[in-house]
Amino acid sequence: MAQRAKSEVQLELKCSAQSFYEIFRSKQHLLPKVCPELIKDINVIKGDWESLGSIKQWAYNVPAGNCEAVEEALEAIDDENKRLTFKLLDGEITKYYKNVKSTIQVTGKDEGGSSVKWSLEYEKQNEDLPEPIKYLDLFPVLTKSVDAYLNKNA
């Protein structure tokens, strides 16, 4: 029986915590414009851009250059702590990992700027599978693109 695992990536931002959080909270439709080398398309297939239970379908490039798709549901919103949790419902990643959840939490810093922590919780479909590094590697690329966009368009 596969055990639940969790991997995290924490990154520093120049932009404010609130502006970064808002992109993922209610403005994900901007991501193909902000990060076209990574995010090819995002569509709402149930609900809207910001309500609990809403389902979106993403098309994105993984580091090997392949385009993959995933459907995600917005599972939890904590605006006070700038934390969102998404449950991955279907897609390439769910062929190898089950019960996958992605969490983003953005924290402001007293000296300016902010930091973001991305978490990926999952169970391997079988113990021989590697850690989902290629998916974790997407977070720094996405973070840098969004941070640069927000600093340029602030």
Side-chain angles (χ1 to χ4, degrees):
M1 179 101 184
Q3 290 189 339
R4 195 119 180 98
K6 183 176 183 178
S7 297
E8 296 180 339
V9 176
Q10 184 148 348
L11 302 159
E12 301 302 310
L13 304 167
K14 293 178 183 170
C15 67
S16 74
Q18 186 62 37
S19 62
F20 192 86
Y21 177 71
E22 284 175 4
I23 292 286
F24 295 92
R25 174 70 173 90
S26 60
K27 299 177 182 175
Q28 290 178 338
H29 61 277
L30 294 174
L31 291 173
K33 174 185 172 186
V34 171
C35 192
E37 70 281 0
L38 180 62
I39 307 298
K40 297 302 171 192
D41 198 18
I42 303 174
N43 294 298
V44 172
I45 56 176
K46 178 184 173 193
D48 57 32
W49 289 105
E50 56 187 280
S51 299
L52 276 177
S54 292
I55 298 174
K56 295 172 209 77
Q57 183 175 52
W58 294 62
Y60 58 94
N61 287 326
V62 290
N66 300 328
C67 190
E68 293 186 9
V70 69
E71 286 183 12
E72 66 166 27
L74 181 55
E75 186 175 83
I77 301 168
D78 180 350
D79 287 332
E80 184 178 336
N81 292 303
K82 297 178 184 59
R83 183 175 41 234
L84 301 168
T85 301
F86 303 93
K87 181 173 182 164
L88 306 187
L89 304 174
D90 191 23
E92 189 70 20
I93 190 172
T94 62
K95 292 178 183 177
Y96 307 102
Y97 309 96
K98 57 186 175 180
N99 301 318
V100 182
K101 291 185 183 184
S102 174
T103 301
I104 178 175
Q105 182 167 13
V106 190
T107 307
K109 293 182 161 191
D110 291 340
E111 64 274 9
S114 54
S115 67
V116 59
K117 180 167 65 173
W118 295 93
S119 303
L120 194 63
E121 294 181 58
Y122 57 92
E123 291 176 52
K124 294 178 183 180
Q125 294 283 11
N126 69 63
E127 290 302 319
D128 296 331
L129 287 170
E131 302 303 313
I133 300 299
K134 76 175 187 177
Y135 298 104
L136 288 168
D137 288 347
L138 300 174
F139 295 136
V141 175
L142 183 58
T143 298
K144 288 175 187 172
S145 293
V146 171
D147 192 33
Y149 172 83
L150 290 170
N151 283 308
K152 182 179 176 185
N153 295 293

